[in-house]
Amino acid sequence: MIRLEKRPTPSRFWGAATPVVAVILTMIAGGIMFALLGKDPVAAIRIIFWDPLFSEQFASYSRPQLLIKAGPLILIAIGLSLGFRAGIWNIGAEGQYIIGAICGAGFGLAFYPSENPLIFPGMVIAGLLGGWAWAMIPAILKTRFRTNEILVSLLLVYVAEAILASAATNWLRNPDAMGFPGSRNLSRHPGTDNPELIAGTGMHWGVLAAFIAVIAAYVLMNRHVLGYHIRLAGQAPRAARFAGVEPNRLVLLCLGISGALAGAAGLFEVSGPAGQISIDFNSGYGFTAIIVAFLGRLNPIGILFAGLLMALTYIGGELAQLMLGIPAPAIQAFQGMLLFFLLALDVLSNYRIKWAREAAA
Amino acid sequence: MIDPVTLIVALIIVSTPVLLAAIGELVVEKTGVLNLGVEGMMIIGAVTGFITAVETGSVTLAFLAGMAGGMILSAVFGVLTQLLLSNQVATGLALTLFGIGLAALLGVGYPGSSLPPVPDLFPASMQAIPVAGPILFSHPLIIYLAVLLVVAVWFLLQHTRTGLVIRAVGESHDAAHALGYKVIRIRFLAILFGGACAGLGGAFLSVARVQNWIEGMTAGAGWIALALVVFASWKPWRVLLGAWLFGGISALQLRLQAAEVNVPVALLDSSPYLVTIIVLVLISSDRARAALNAPAALGKVFHASG
């Protein structure tokens, strides 16, 4: 008979080890899934996790992709992690990402064809504000009316997608595109472009912003009283209230920061790798970032590594699609599985496992 | 311009998947468990139901397969949250993300497959009755079962001993445990029931309503179902009301789009979601009513010490 005994404090060893074990278990379970699809599991895992970085044939293309894909994931996940720590669940980052991209792109296109160097910083600010404003809807509804922020932020993703569809086909459509949907290309126009900063690395302004966010979040969580309040509110809400932490202020702050960062991520994407507002430029980063935040243990440094790993599965997944004909959704299932294993293994850091005799109970 | 009879018929059909998922989730939440994976279970039900309908040609088997699919996925949630004591919010999200991916994977190659027709319960002569015929008698069995399920859940929760135990577990798992009730077993069974309902809702969506498999076809229906439970203040009858409200808005906006009214398409497309949010705000702003019926132990991890 197995019995769980609560640890007085979570185990530090298992806290660090669970992501690694979860990745290994996901590789095994994913291998089984690929075998069921009739593909060679060992080759599939190698193509996903090894070839994008080290194969002579593909690495030159896929290495820069690593930062391109990790950038938005890390930027969004950092924002989400603050709220998740405080027990404030913004799961609508995908919507904030879309609205940020639309606002930023709209700002840039309003000055078209100017190439003024101030336009791009303005676009970034517009993106931040757009994502922030979209996240303020669930935040204000929560603080004013106690409406559940999980449901509102998520439902707003579908509203954002409807707005995106009308932007791409109607009011942001490229007037010179002869009726084709999609805005003007931002990345090929100087002034509105988010270029590769160091050739061959995939580094663009959004990746830089993600690195800055990691450092800022690290300082905030470990050195600033606000970080302490966030952690306190998550672990002991009652104690936090006695300590003078204003729950409504935390809701506005956490949702606001995560919305702004998601909005910025959307702007960097649409002015760089995606290039334009199109009906499906958003590729689910806002949802995958939830997995990144948990895989990184809601810790800034952990999120950095988790974002890179998740980016690797995206790139490796595309490669596996090309080489082995593994269907694209397999990777999404694979990423979901990773979160399952991670959550399942968490029991090891919070509880001690005891093998007790039946009679003793 | 818009025929009220066909609108009501469409309302009933559109509301059924959400109604099924919501009534299942209501029972789950009544035992104190918050399963945010409804969207994932629905879409798995949609794909397993669709595949079964295409491969076997049997609609009955398709609905059973949808239930089984949702149930299997909910069992994963049950193991993680009840046996491994994981965070319910995170695990529910994982269920949705995984479910959407797995459903897309299973459904590769199936879009556009031809399906067996879903038989109507009543003969054509009854459907020919003006007004009442199309509204009351023109539906497949599942639609009537869904309404009966609401009645059954209401009766179970309000008038039976089992319902009392379910509510006790949801109000205070420690007290229920001290009285000797198997908290984990009861919650696990409720989770499986919720999974079966969500899966059936998904299967109805793909096999009966849309009659096709499209990636991501649930389009937030699972989240709307979750919102309906809150809207209903955990009362079965109100779930029915909420589902009809949602179905009415969805059916109406599609008709308005077809009629090319002078309203932005984005606004019409998002109207079911916006109305859901507005209704949620109205309900939760009434502090007394919102708190009255919410299970006190909702979302809390139960760990029997000793």
Side-chain angles (χ1 to χ4, degrees):
Chain A
M1 181 70 185
I2 297 171
R3 208 161 53 82
L4 297 173
E5 186 183 294
K6 191 150 180 77
R7 293 176 193 269
T9 54
S11 152
R12 295 195 124 219
F13 169 76
W14 280 112
T18 41
V20 180
V21 180
V23 169
I24 294 169
L25 286 176
T26 310
M27 284 186 187
I28 296 169
I32 295 170
M33 180 176 79
F34 295 135
L36 289 175
L37 288 169
K39 314 290 176 189
D40 176 359
V42 179
I45 297 295
R46 198 198 66 230
I47 287 174
I48 294 173
F49 287 98
W50 183 263
D51 283 0
L53 296 178
F54 303 109
S55 129
E56 282 177 19
Q57 199 184 347
F58 306 111
S60 61
Y61 166 75
S62 42
R63 268 188 212 154
Q65 286 290 317
L66 195 63
L67 286 184
I68 289 178
K69 294 218 157 47
L73 288 174
I74 295 171
L75 197 54
I76 302 169
I78 286 285
L80 294 181
S81 69
L82 301 180
F84 289 0
R85 281 245 182 156
I88 298 158
W89 301 92
N90 172 12
I91 59 169
E94 184 78 3
Q96 294 136 23
Y97 176 87
I98 290 172
I99 298 296
I102 292 176
C103 289
F107 182 89
L109 291 171
F111 293 100
Y112 188 86
S114 163
E115 297 180 5
N116 192 315
L118 287 176
I119 289 178
F120 187 71
M123 287 165 67
V124 176
I125 292 169
L128 281 165
L129 285 177
W132 173 82
W134 203 245
M136 273 303 109
I137 301 173
I140 290 170
L141 293 183
K142 184 171 177 74
T143 52
R144 292 270 299 131
F145 304 109
R146 290 169 303 279
T147 313
N148 183 315
E149 81 281 15
I150 301 178
L151 294 172
V152 175
S153 64
L154 192 283
L155 289 171
L156 283 173
V157 173
Y158 295 96
V159 180
E161 280 176 350
I163 294 174
L164 173 64
S166 85
T169 55
N170 196 348
W171 40 276
L172 273 184
R173 198 181 63 196
N174 181 358
D176 303 332
M178 293 174 300
F180 281 102
S183 71
R184 282 184 198 279
N185 195 303
L186 296 160
S187 63
R188 285 197 220 116
H189 181 284
T192 62
D193 64 331
N194 171 20
E196 198 175 23
L197 297 174
I198 306 166
T201 57
M203 183 83 165
H204 61 69
W205 287 111
V207 180
L208 198 64
F211 288 147
I212 294 169
V214 168
I215 297 166
Y218 183 83
V219 173
L220 177 78
M221 291 311 283
N222 295 294
R223 293 278 177 273
H224 194 278
V225 67
L226 179 62
Y228 172 72
H229 283 172
I230 288 174
R231 281 183 289 150
L232 190 63
Q235 286 169 4
R238 252 172 78 80
R241 271 202 300 281
F242 287 128
V245 179
E246 179 67 53
N248 283 350
R249 206 173 68 99
L250 269 192
V251 169
L252 292 172
L253 261 171
C254 289
L255 278 168
I257 293 173
S258 56
L261 290 184
L267 176 273
F268 288 126
E269 187 70 15
V270 87
S271 57
Q276 56 168 172
I277 292 280
S278 61
I279 201 157
D280 53 359
F281 89 90
N282 61 316
S283 36
Y285 285 149
F287 291 117
T288 312
I290 297 171
I291 305 181
V292 171
F294 281 114
L295 185 62
R297 316 258 65 185
L298 307 183
N299 170 310
I301 311 295
I303 288 171
L304 178 67
F305 288 109
L308 289 168
L309 181 74
M310 217 43 124
L312 186 62
T313 63
Y314 268 119
I315 303 158
E318 281 169 17
L319 207 57
Q321 208 182 330
L322 189 76
M323 302 287 294
L324 296 177
I326 288 177
I331 289 306
Q332 210 189 336
F334 192 79
Q335 292 171 341
M337 239 191 270
L338 179 57
L339 188 48
F340 275 143
F341 280 116
L342 193 73
L343 293 167
L345 288 168
D346 256 355
V347 73
L348 295 173
S349 42
N350 293 324
Y351 296 88
R352 236 186 284 268
I353 293 178
K354 294 263 165 131
W355 276 266
R357 283 192 202 90
E358 288 274 7
Chain B
M1 185 174 87
I2 291 170
D3 175 21
V5 174
T6 55
L7 182 69
I8 293 173
V9 173
L11 172 163
I12 293 170
I13 294 171
V14 173
S15 63
T16 298
V18 187
L19 176 62
L20 283 165
I23 200 72
E25 176 69 15
L26 183 136
V27 175
V28 178
E29 293 193 12
K30 268 290 175 191
T31 65
V33 177
L34 179 65
N35 185 353
L36 291 181
V38 182
E39 179 85 3
M41 300 186 298
M42 273 187 98
I43 199 149
I44 284 291
V47 77
T48 50
F50 190 82
I51 292 173
T52 311
V54 171
E55 299 296 339
T56 66
S58 159
V59 175
T60 313
L61 282 181
F63 288 135
L64 288 175
M67 288 170 78
M71 235 165 148
I72 291 168
L73 201 60
S74 72
V76 176
F77 178 86
V79 169
L80 260 68
T81 59
Q82 300 309 303
L83 303 181
L84 299 175
L85 310 175
S86 68
N87 178 308
Q88 292 177 9
V89 172
T91 312
L93 286 175
L95 209 62
T96 291
L97 294 172
F98 176 73
I100 292 173
L102 183 65
L105 179 61
L106 291 171
V108 170
Y110 278 96
S113 309
S114 61
L115 279 181
V118 182
D120 290 340
L121 188 61
F122 295 104
S125 58
M126 286 174 79
Q127 297 183 25
I129 306 169
V131 185
I135 293 176
L136 294 178
F137 304 121
S138 71
H139 305 293
L141 176 65
I142 299 283
I143 287 191
Y144 304 101
L145 284 183
V147 178
L148 279 181
L149 191 63
V150 175
V151 180
V153 165
W154 165 77
F155 186 80
L156 175 86
L157 288 176
Q158 225 54 48
H159 294 284
T160 66
R161 192 182 158 72
T162 318
L164 202 59
V165 174
I166 285 176
R167 287 188 286 148
V169 168
E171 292 301 330
S172 167
H173 44 221
D174 290 322
H177 176 69
L179 285 171
Y181 294 116
K182 306 281 183 207
V183 173
I184 294 193
R185 188 178 304 165
I186 291 163
R187 287 188 168 168
F188 209 111
L189 288 173
I191 290 168
L192 291 179
F193 174 74
C197 287
L200 182 61
F204 180 84
L205 182 68
S206 62
V207 176
R209 193 192 141 198
V210 183
Q211 300 188 315
N212 197 357
W213 163 250
I214 306 157
E215 249 190 70
M217 69 184 299
T218 46
W223 295 101
I224 302 241
L226 278 159
L228 282 188
V229 179
V230 180
F231 160 75
S233 318
W234 293 269
K235 289 187 178 121
W237 290 109
R238 293 230 194 110
V239 168
L240 188 63
L241 198 70
W244 282 344
L245 176 71
F246 163 78
I249 300 283
S250 303
L252 183 64
Q253 69 92 1
L254 285 175
R255 271 162 185 70
L256 289 175
Q257 284 197 25
E260 297 189 357
V261 252
N262 197 15
V263 178
V265 177
L267 188 62
L268 289 176
D269 272 339
S270 47
S271 59
Y273 308 103
L274 288 174
V275 169
T276 307
I277 292 173
I278 292 167
V279 167
L280 268 183
V281 171
L282 291 178
I283 288 295
S284 45
S285 65
D286 186 348
R287 185 190 287 260
R289 197 164 61 184
L292 196 63
N293 225 17
L298 188 60
K300 294 193 180 122
V301 172
F302 171 68
H303 178 233
S305 47

